[in-house]
Amino acid sequence: MEDLLPKPVPPRVGLIYDDRMCEHTDPDSDYHPETPNRIRVIWKKLQSAGILQRCVVMKAKEAEDKHIALVHKKKHIDLIRNVSSQEFDSRRSKIASKFNSIYLNEGSSKSAYLAAGAVIEVSEKVAKGELDSAVAIVRPPGHHAEPNEAMGFCLFNNVAIAASYLLNERPELGIRKILIVDWDVHHGNGTQKMFYDDPRVLFFSVHRHENGSFYPSGDDGSYTMIGEGLGSGYNINVPWEHARCGDADYFAVWEHVLVPVAKAFNPDMIIISGGFDAAIGDPLGGCCITPYGYAVMMEKLMEFAQGRIMMALEGGYNLDSLAKSVLACVETLLKDKHVVASSKTYPFDSTWRVIQAVRKELSPFWPTLSGKLSKKLLVTTRKAPLIQLISSSDSDAENDDLAHAGSDAQCSVNSIEVVEDVIASLSTLTFDEDNHSKDQMSSSSASWRSIFSKVDIWYASFGSNMWKPRFLCYIEGGQAEGMQAPCSGSMDKNPPKEIVWKIVPHRFFIGRSKTRTWGAGGVAFLHPESDDSSNSYMCLYKITLEQFNDVLVQENRLRPVEAINPLFDLSDLESVTKNKSLNSNELKDGWYSNVVCLGTEGDLPILTMTCSNLDIELFKSGKLPLNAPSKEYRDTLVKGLVEGKQLSEEEAVAYINDGFTRPL
């Protein structure tokens, strides 16, 4: 009898990929995190897992301007269409520098049009019923792109274009309500703005926010941003207060916010802004979602809209974690049984705090959120880390290592362990108002910070940190005038105990070609070896060794500020005071990898950080350029020197000009 039963029809899952989207590359760096290899490794992973033979595979077609114009302004469309043409060759870099975290090259226009076109095409096929679901493996990503502005690696807002196309251009397909789920670690500011007053689109974004200090910064990602007019209540933000959120935190939000609202909204289709920079090991995200975590989130969404889901790639910069996570999502759409695993850790207490705030804010619009969360304690909570991880644009350095950063720095084994336990039910993730878990960070982390907070040193700055408001960004967090992105700050936010100025016999110079904090132009370095023929101005800040470690991390952007072990420990301090310099192996990929001791001031060592001697040789040979700073960076240097009463404005400008015009 069993042989007579019809076999279940396998789901029709579409995959769209086109290698032409790899033509969009950073002309100034081979190590930009938004690299063509992002989509290539995904495709290879799916290929090696035998997924391609089980899916409907398509190549991309370029989007039409009239469809892009559904969400973008004509001026923006004209720019992206033409910016890769020869007439823009001489000014393309300058145009890119005017945007926030954008690069442009000869392949950018085609890639942007292909990405948007690919997402439109598979969305339409899912809406028609030709596919049950689909995944668009595209770049550049899109969710940061606003109606008239590219930003955050995004040129066109692919997901928003596709959603608007289905709602406005293809009403006969019957897609009248769309749920957009944005699980990228960064807030989908562009998508939010495009549908903020539209009740046909329920936009849901879960992201690191940290009171607006995490990229894209500002208040747009706050839970109080709920939509306006007819769209009031149709914009839901779940803003994490810190990094290290993982499977349990996301499962809790799914169960207590997204799932009940999705049931009430009853979408006709779901579009996922599939960013994977909240995945474990991502160098920009600092969160800890496992591939299994993404599979569970996808599986819960498949319960709605008859499983009509289209997922478009957004972020994700740890190539291994990215590929494994996308594979887990595709296998889930194919209804494969994934390996059952769960996080041994529990949601942070801050996760419950955020969930409560979101539910309270949205309950007037969604009565399903108005009920009290269960007081029955079925899980415990974790205490939130005391500080955020480094945001995606903290350092003066371009952070050439980002594409290769490993997972060890992002989520310690104490933060998340994937074990073979079964999650019995997502509904067990309930909140106990009386639970106040006091779990501490790892004892080793607490131990070194406790000790280093009692050790004072002088940190000597020769660059933008000479201006106190800019330096305080590394201590207190935030950003100063002229900076394009905020800093996360130190775990110890106490201001410097004392500030003095000093002149040292070392060569000040300005080199490199572009930074994320300041845009196109060089930044300051100090020749690590003394030279009686040169003098450099140094602003000395009396801070703790703990704070110096946090500044060192932010300058080099190699790992989280709150990592378990220090980059520069007491033995390193002893070594550098004896040997005058220390090139740390942990810092070898950073621009400021060389800690130099410039002597003492009041019996305390004076420490600065600069480039390695190897980099000096590269600057001398021209392989690394001496280069004029951006106007914003130059103005910051001038402010530091003038407000520090070291030089007049005219003298300061001359000093800075000498830094990039005189050969090493």
Side-chain angles (χ1 to χ4, degrees):
M1 290 292 294
E2 290 182 1
D3 293 338
L4 298 177
L5 294 175
K7 293 183 179 180
V9 178
R12 296 163 299 173
V13 178
L15 292 177
I16 195 162
Y17 170 86
D18 199 309
D19 202 59
R20 290 177 293 171
M21 286 180 273
C22 295
E23 294 175 17
H24 173 62
T25 60
D26 186 350
D28 298 321
S29 173
D30 293 332
Y31 300 105
H32 194 284
E34 209 292 281
T35 166
N37 286 334
R38 294 178 61 243
I39 60 173
R40 285 176 176 148
V41 296
I42 293 171
W43 196 246
K44 288 178 181 177
K45 174 66 74 173
L46 298 178
Q47 194 171 35
S48 63
I51 296 295
L52 303 188
Q53 299 91 315
R54 303 170 58 196
C55 295
V56 180
V57 177
M58 294 168 281
K59 290 194 71 173
K61 301 174 184 176
E62 294 186 19
E64 297 181 45
D65 283 352
K66 65 179 181 180
H67 298 149
I68 298 172
L70 294 169
V71 298
H72 286 292
K73 303 293 186 184
K74 183 178 185 301
K75 181 179 178 182
H76 179 66
I77 298 171
D78 290 343
L79 173 65
I80 301 304
R81 184 199 315 114
N82 297 316
V83 76
S84 293
S85 62
Q86 286 186 345
E87 65 179 286
F88 280 82
D89 285 350
S90 61
R91 50 198 172 106
R92 192 178 298 121
S93 294
K94 185 176 181 180
I95 291 171
S97 69
K98 293 180 179 179
F99 295 110
N100 187 333
S101 302
I102 287 293
Y103 65 76
L104 297 167
N105 76 329
E106 296 84 351
S108 298
S109 297
K110 179 185 290 185
S111 298
Y113 273 85
L114 286 169
V119 176
I120 291 173
E121 182 175 1
V122 290
S123 296
E124 184 177 35
K125 288 185 179 296
V126 171
K128 285 180 176 179
E130 294 177 9
L131 297 171
D132 296 312
S133 59
V135 175
I137 304 165
V138 297
R139 60 178 295 275
H143 71 149
H144 291 311
E146 299 193 346
N148 205 31
E149 183 177 0
M151 64 178 291
F153 310 160
C154 303
L155 302 184
F156 287 144
N157 195 314
N158 308 315
V159 159
I161 293 168
S164 189
Y165 172 77
L166 294 179
L167 292 169
N168 298 307
E169 298 292 301
R170 300 302 307 273
E172 73 276 10
L173 298 180
I175 304 298
R176 295 176 175 84
K177 293 186 294 181
I178 295 177
L179 168 61
I180 296 179
V181 176
D182 189 331
W183 66 40
D184 190 281
V185 80
H186 302 97
H187 178 239
N189 56 290
T191 313
Q192 172 174 295
K193 290 183 178 179
M194 290 164 176
F195 300 109
Y196 202 59
D197 59 356
D198 193 339
R200 300 174 300 170
V201 175
L202 175 61
F203 177 65
F204 173 89
S205 178
V206 54
H207 49 270
R208 278 181 67 183
H209 184 60
E210 296 163 25
N211 296 316
S213 66
F214 193 73
Y215 194 89
S217 307
D219 297 329
D220 283 351
S222 168
Y223 68 87
T224 61
M225 302 295 287
I226 60 171
E228 64 183 10
L230 294 176
S232 296
Y234 291 89
N235 195 87
I236 302 177
N237 287 322
V238 180
W240 296 141
E241 296 179 1
H242 52 77
R244 295 203 292 138
C245 293
D247 291 359
D249 304 283
Y250 282 79
F251 294 168
V253 169
W254 250 237
E255 187 67 14
H256 294 297
V257 180
L258 179 55
V259 168
V261 173
K263 286 180 181 177
F265 182 62
N266 191 24
D268 298 312
M269 184 170 169
I270 297 174
I271 296 179
I272 299 174
S273 269
F276 293 88
D277 41 9
I280 189 167
D282 191 273
L284 300 190
C287 287
C288 304
I289 305 179
T290 66
Y292 172 74
Y294 284 111
V296 170
M297 292 192 291
M298 176 67 81
E299 192 170 54
K300 294 299 291 185
L301 292 176
M302 290 170 67
E303 297 174 8
F304 303 100
Q306 298 178 309
R308 284 193 291 262
I309 293 176
M310 192 287 299
M311 182 179 79
L313 182 65
E314 299 284 2
Y317 308 101
N318 178 308
L319 300 184
D320 181 62
S321 194
L322 170 64
K324 289 178 179 176
S325 298
V326 174
L327 172 62
C329 288
V330 177
E331 288 177 332
T332 302
L333 292 173
L334 287 166
K335 298 186 178 181
D336 290 354
K337 289 185 178 181
H338 37 256
V339 176
V340 178
S342 72
S343 170
K344 195 175 181 179
T345 57
Y346 305 106
F348 285 111
D349 55 0
S350 62
T351 295
W352 299 118
R353 186 161 58 242
V354 170
I355 287 174
Q356 276 193 309
V358 171
R359 285 170 63 101
K360 183 178 180 180
E361 191 76 25
L362 273 298
S363 59
F365 307 94
W366 303 101
T368 185
L369 300 180
S370 60
K372 287 188 176 181
L373 299 178
S374 171
K375 290 186 178 181
K376 183 180 179 182
L377 181 62
L378 296 176
V379 298
T380 59
T381 60
R382 291 180 289 164
K383 183 169 181 172
L386 301 178
I387 150 174
Q388 311 88 9
L389 299 193
I390 297 174
S391 72
S392 60
S393 298
D394 275 351
S395 174
D396 288 343
E398 285 180 297
N399 194 19
D400 291 352
D401 67 296
L402 280 178
H404 309 289
S407 62
D408 293 346
Q410 307 300 324
C411 301
S412 72
V413 292
N414 293 329
S415 298
I416 185 167
E417 290 181 50
V418 178
V419 296
E420 294 180 354
D421 302 330
V422 179
I423 295 182
S425 169
L426 295 184
S427 61
T428 62
L429 296 170
T430 56
F431 177 68
D432 182 356
E433 294 176 326
D434 299 323
N435 185 296
H436 299 285
S437 174
K438 300 297 181 183
D439 293 342
Q440 300 297 316
M441 293 176 63
S442 81
S443 59
S444 59
S445 176
S447 175
W448 78 261
R449 287 192 176 274
S450 176
I451 295 169
F452 287 18
S453 68
K454 298 177 177 63
V455 179
D456 287 341
I457 58 99
W458 289 101
Y459 162 60
S461 172
F462 48 83
S464 62
N465 287 334
M466 291 189 294
W467 188 41
K468 184 180 176 182
R470 191 276 181 264
F471 173 67
L472 289 179
C473 297
Y474 278 155
I475 301 299
E476 300 172 354
Q479 64 193 103
E481 181 182 352
M483 295 171 62
Q484 297 181 5
C487 301
S488 59
S490 171
M491 291 186 74
D492 177 1
K493 300 190 183 301
N494 288 312
K497 298 169 185 175
E498 195 176 344
I499 301 175
V500 299
W501 284 82
K502 192 177 183 71
I503 297 176
V504 299
H506 289 256
R507 167 70 195 279
F508 162 87
F509 66 96
I510 297 176
R512 299 274 185 173
S513 58
K514 183 180 181 182
T515 69
R516 293 199 181 97
T517 301
W518 303 101
V523 290
F525 294 94
L526 192 76
H527 197 299
E529 296 178 0
S530 179
D531 177 4
D532 291 337
S533 65
S534 296
N535 285 317
S536 295
Y537 292 88
M538 309 287 290
C539 183
L540 277 57
Y541 298 96
K542 190 176 181 181
I543 60 175
T544 68
L545 188 58
E546 178 189 11
Q547 290 175 316
F548 179 74
N549 264 278
D550 291 343
V551 174
L552 190 61
V553 166
Q554 291 176 84
E555 281 284 14
N556 288 283
R557 301 178 67 233
L558 298 178
R559 69 181 205 180
V561 169
E562 54 122 13
I564 293 175
N565 298 313
L567 277 176
F568 187 86
D569 59 24
L570 293 173
S571 63
D572 293 328
L573 180 61
E574 181 180 5
S575 176
V576 77
T577 53
K578 287 182 179 178
N579 302 317
K580 303 306 179 187
S581 68
L582 176 71
N583 281 283
S584 167
N585 189 54
E586 268 198 271
L587 292 171
K588 62 183 176 63
D589 293 322
W591 284 9
Y592 296 92
S593 62
N594 189 5
V595 178
V596 177
C597 181
L598 300 171
T600 60
E601 177 74 21
D603 297 327
L604 294 177
I606 303 170
L607 305 181
T608 193
M609 55 192 78
T610 186
C611 60
S612 67
N613 287 317
L614 175 60
D615 281 350
I616 291 294
E617 296 306 313
L618 295 175
F619 279 116
K620 286 181 178 179
S621 68
K623 291 181 179 179
L624 287 176
L626 295 184
N627 198 19
S630 67
K631 180 182 182 301
E632 292 77 12
Y633 188 73
R634 183 201 65 195
D635 290 348
T636 302
L637 296 177
V638 170
K639 287 176 186 175
L641 291 164
V642 173
E643 293 179 15
K645 299 180 180 179
Q646 301 301 299
L647 296 172
S648 67
E649 184 171 343
E650 184 179 351
E651 290 170 333
V653 170
Y655 172 73
I656 294 163
N657 289 343
D658 182 71
F660 63 85
T661 57
R662 181 162 57 97
L664 280 173

